[in-house]
Amino acid sequence: MSLALDPAAQDLLFREARTANTFTDEPVTDEQVQAIYDLVKYGPTAFNQSPLRVVLVRSDDARARLVKHMAEGNQPKTSTAPLVAILATDNEFHEELPALMPHFPQAKDAFFSERPVRESAAALNGALQAAYFIIGVRAAGLAAGPMTGLDAAGIEKEFLDGDHSLLMVVNIGKPGEDAWFPRLPRLAYDEVVTTV
């Protein structure tokens, strides 16, 4: 059975998708980021929570503050990427639920009145949205370099407030020379899928 998505699009989004390690100096525009968000915002989350928040690191000062919190091997990549996005979750996402779920505004208090419940829900649904974001970057013809090798507490203190939790940092741009490491193996279908 074939997929409904064109094979070239399948390659762009999945088969040829890898973490970029180098980038050209071609800028990533606000219009490109807006187009990415306007596409990926439709990806489903539980209760339409939409907890993802994005901090775009554009200034030299902000980049220097971020780079010092990256693992040593990630510092050069983050220093030279045309754009860096800090992806975080809003642990107070429930405040938006009356607008995001107008047919069930009481979900805010019925399910998410306690902070630990919100943090758990935001972590799961924010991770879903981070994946959508990375696929959106690829759909825009750009490369993404998602990274979790970093000092999360340091980045949260430097860039976020107590209501937001870091998910990852993503370098974004056109792939540069030798951008890709060799493709690593993947598990086979029968190693992953079980029918019961």
Side-chain angles (χ1 to χ4, degrees), residues 23-28 57-58 63 77 80-84 172-174:
F23 298 90
T24 70
D25 59 2
E26 183 178 329
V28 177
V57 179
R58 289 204 181 273
R63 187 177 301 251
K77 296 182 264 191
T80 58
L83 180 62
V84 182
I172 303 169
K174 292 282 187 182

mmCIF file of all heavy atoms in Angstrom, residues 23-28 57-58 63 77 80-84 172-174:
data_model
loop_
_atom_site.group_PDB
_atom_site.id
_atom_site.type_symbol
_atom_site.label_atom_id
_atom_site.label_comp_id
_atom_site.label_asym_id
_atom_site.label_seq_id
_atom_site.Cartn_x
_atom_site.Cartn_y
_atom_site.Cartn_z
ATOM 1 N N PHE A 23 25.605 24.721 9.024
ATOM 2 C CA PHE A 23 24.625 25.515 8.292
ATOM 3 C C PHE A 23 25.341 26.554 7.437
ATOM 4 O O PHE A 23 26.448 26.988 7.764
ATOM 5 C CB PHE A 23 23.692 26.250 9.273
ATOM 6 C CG PHE A 23 22.884 25.324 10.132
ATOM 7 C CD1 PHE A 23 23.373 24.885 11.359
ATOM 8 C CD2 PHE A 23 21.639 24.884 9.727
ATOM 9 C CE1 PHE A 23 22.636 24.026 12.151
ATOM 10 C CE2 PHE A 23 20.893 24.021 10.513
ATOM 11 C CZ PHE A 23 21.396 23.593 11.726
ATOM 12 N N THR A 24 24.683 26.977 6.362
ATOM 13 C CA THR A 24 25.180 28.126 5.616
ATOM 14 C C THR A 24 24.857 29.378 6.421
ATOM 15 O O THR A 24 24.176 29.314 7.441
ATOM 16 C CB THR A 24 24.512 28.223 4.228
ATOM 17 O OG1 THR A 24 23.133 28.586 4.404
ATOM 18 C CG2 THR A 24 24.618 26.911 3.449
ATOM 19 N N ASP A 25 25.319 30.520 5.937
ATOM 20 C CA ASP A 25 25.017 31.764 6.645
ATOM 21 C C ASP A 25 23.755 32.453 6.124
ATOM 22 O O ASP A 25 23.438 33.576 6.514
ATOM 23 C CB ASP A 25 26.215 32.725 6.607
ATOM 24 C CG ASP A 25 26.626 33.093 5.192
ATOM 25 O OD1 ASP A 25 25.980 32.639 4.218
ATOM 26 O OD2 ASP A 25 27.619 33.837 5.052
ATOM 27 N N GLU A 26 22.991 31.749 5.257
ATOM 28 C CA GLU A 26 21.735 32.319 4.752
ATOM 29 C C GLU A 26 20.759 32.496 5.906
ATOM 30 O O GLU A 26 20.486 31.554 6.649
ATOM 31 C CB GLU A 26 21.131 31.405 3.697
ATOM 32 C CG GLU A 26 19.875 31.947 3.064
ATOM 33 C CD GLU A 26 19.313 31.026 1.982
ATOM 34 O OE1 GLU A 26 20.102 30.328 1.319
ATOM 35 O OE2 GLU A 26 18.086 31.020 1.813
ATOM 36 N N PRO A 27 20.237 33.711 6.095
ATOM 37 C CA PRO A 27 19.345 33.941 7.235
ATOM 38 C C PRO A 27 18.017 33.192 7.135
ATOM 39 O O PRO A 27 17.552 32.867 6.042
ATOM 40 C CB PRO A 27 19.106 35.459 7.224
ATOM 41 C CG PRO A 27 19.653 35.973 5.959
ATOM 42 C CD PRO A 27 20.453 34.901 5.289
ATOM 43 N N VAL A 28 17.443 32.931 8.290
ATOM 44 C CA VAL A 28 16.088 32.403 8.403
ATOM 45 C C VAL A 28 15.205 33.584 8.796
ATOM 46 O O VAL A 28 15.438 34.222 9.826
ATOM 47 C CB VAL A 28 15.998 31.278 9.449
ATOM 48 C CG1 VAL A 28 14.561 30.797 9.606
ATOM 49 C CG2 VAL A 28 16.925 30.125 9.074
ATOM 50 N N VAL A 57 16.215 32.998 19.203
ATOM 51 C CA VAL A 57 17.467 33.632 19.637
ATOM 52 C C VAL A 57 18.104 34.255 18.396
ATOM 53 O O VAL A 57 18.623 33.550 17.531
ATOM 54 C CB VAL A 57 18.405 32.596 20.287
ATOM 55 C CG1 VAL A 57 19.716 33.248 20.707
ATOM 56 C CG2 VAL A 57 17.715 31.936 21.477
ATOM 57 N N ARG A 58 18.034 35.574 18.309
ATOM 58 C CA ARG A 58 18.554 36.285 17.146
ATOM 59 C C ARG A 58 19.715 37.221 17.477
ATOM 60 O O ARG A 58 20.619 37.387 16.672
ATOM 61 C CB ARG A 58 17.442 37.093 16.476
ATOM 62 C CG ARG A 58 16.417 36.230 15.753
ATOM 63 C CD ARG A 58 15.730 37.043 14.671
ATOM 64 N NE ARG A 58 14.721 36.311 13.951
ATOM 65 C CZ ARG A 58 14.963 35.549 12.881
ATOM 66 N NH1 ARG A 58 16.183 35.403 12.444
ATOM 67 N NH2 ARG A 58 13.972 34.928 12.268
ATOM 68 N N ARG A 63 22.540 34.995 21.968
ATOM 69 C CA ARG A 63 23.217 33.778 21.513
ATOM 70 C C ARG A 63 24.395 33.452 22.436
ATOM 71 O O ARG A 63 24.589 32.292 22.812
ATOM 72 C CB ARG A 63 23.699 33.932 20.075
ATOM 73 C CG ARG A 63 24.244 32.603 19.529
ATOM 74 C CD ARG A 63 24.656 32.738 18.089
ATOM 75 N NE ARG A 63 23.555 33.142 17.256
ATOM 76 C CZ ARG A 63 22.953 32.350 16.380
ATOM 77 N NH1 ARG A 63 23.340 31.102 16.249
ATOM 78 N NH2 ARG A 63 21.965 32.795 15.644
ATOM 79 N N LYS A 77 27.891 24.472 16.914
ATOM 80 C CA LYS A 77 26.700 24.420 16.069
ATOM 81 C C LYS A 77 25.742 25.559 16.418
ATOM 82 O O LYS A 77 25.182 26.215 15.541
ATOM 83 C CB LYS A 77 25.989 23.075 16.229
ATOM 84 C CG LYS A 77 26.796 21.890 15.769
ATOM 85 C CD LYS A 77 26.029 20.605 15.912
ATOM 86 C CE LYS A 77 26.372 19.903 17.188
ATOM 87 N NZ LYS A 77 25.870 18.532 17.270
ATOM 88 N N THR A 80 26.941 29.078 15.295
ATOM 89 C CA THR A 80 26.975 29.419 13.876
ATOM 90 C C THR A 80 25.657 29.217 13.129
ATOM 91 O O THR A 80 25.564 29.610 11.963
ATOM 92 C CB THR A 80 28.072 28.591 13.171
ATOM 93 O OG1 THR A 80 27.802 27.201 13.363
ATOM 94 C CG2 THR A 80 29.453 28.927 13.735
ATOM 95 N N ALA A 81 24.656 28.615 13.756
ATOM 96 C CA ALA A 81 23.372 28.431 13.068
ATOM 97 C C ALA A 81 22.727 29.790 12.795
ATOM 98 O O ALA A 81 22.801 30.688 13.638
ATOM 99 C CB ALA A 81 22.441 27.568 13.915
ATOM 100 N N PRO A 82 22.095 29.960 11.632
ATOM 101 C CA PRO A 82 21.444 31.239 11.333
ATOM 102 C C PRO A 82 20.365 31.625 12.340
ATOM 103 O O PRO A 82 20.165 32.793 12.631
ATOM 104 C CB PRO A 82 20.840 31.021 9.951
ATOM 105 C CG PRO A 82 21.639 29.930 9.356
ATOM 106 C CD PRO A 82 22.051 29.045 10.502
ATOM 107 N N LEU A 83 19.650 30.628 12.863
ATOM 108 C CA LEU A 83 18.607 30.889 13.842
ATOM 109 C C LEU A 83 18.600 29.763 14.856
ATOM 110 O O LEU A 83 18.798 28.596 14.499
ATOM 111 C CB LEU A 83 17.229 30.973 13.171
ATOM 112 C CG LEU A 83 16.033 31.239 14.088
ATOM 113 C CD1 LEU A 83 16.151 32.595 14.787
ATOM 114 C CD2 LEU A 83 14.725 31.139 13.321
ATOM 115 N N VAL A 84 18.368 30.110 16.097
ATOM 116 C CA VAL A 84 18.246 29.111 17.157
ATOM 117 C C VAL A 84 16.903 29.337 17.850
ATOM 118 O O VAL A 84 16.544 30.474 18.179
ATOM 119 C CB VAL A 84 19.398 29.219 18.177
ATOM 120 C CG1 VAL A 84 19.272 28.137 19.234
ATOM 121 C CG2 VAL A 84 20.752 29.124 17.477
ATOM 122 N N ILE A 172 18.483 26.083 13.329
ATOM 123 C CA ILE A 172 17.678 26.094 12.102
ATOM 124 C C ILE A 172 18.428 26.852 11.006
ATOM 125 O O ILE A 172 19.004 27.912 11.261
ATOM 126 C CB ILE A 172 16.323 26.790 12.345
ATOM 127 C CG1 ILE A 172 15.564 26.113 13.490
ATOM 128 C CG2 ILE A 172 15.482 26.817 11.069
ATOM 129 C CD1 ILE A 172 14.352 26.881 13.972
ATOM 130 N N GLY A 173 18.400 26.312 9.796
ATOM 131 C CA GLY A 173 18.978 27.009 8.655
ATOM 132 C C GLY A 173 19.115 26.096 7.460
ATOM 133 O O GLY A 173 18.665 24.948 7.464
ATOM 134 N N LYS A 174 19.736 26.610 6.416
ATOM 135 C CA LYS A 174 20.071 25.792 5.245
ATOM 136 C C LYS A 174 21.292 24.953 5.617
ATOM 137 O O LYS A 174 22.234 25.456 6.211
ATOM 138 C CB LYS A 174 20.396 26.677 4.039
ATOM 139 C CG LYS A 174 19.208 27.441 3.501
ATOM 140 C CD LYS A 174 18.324 26.541 2.678
ATOM 141 C CE LYS A 174 17.229 27.350 2.000
ATOM 142 N NZ LYS A 174 16.322 26.513 1.245
#
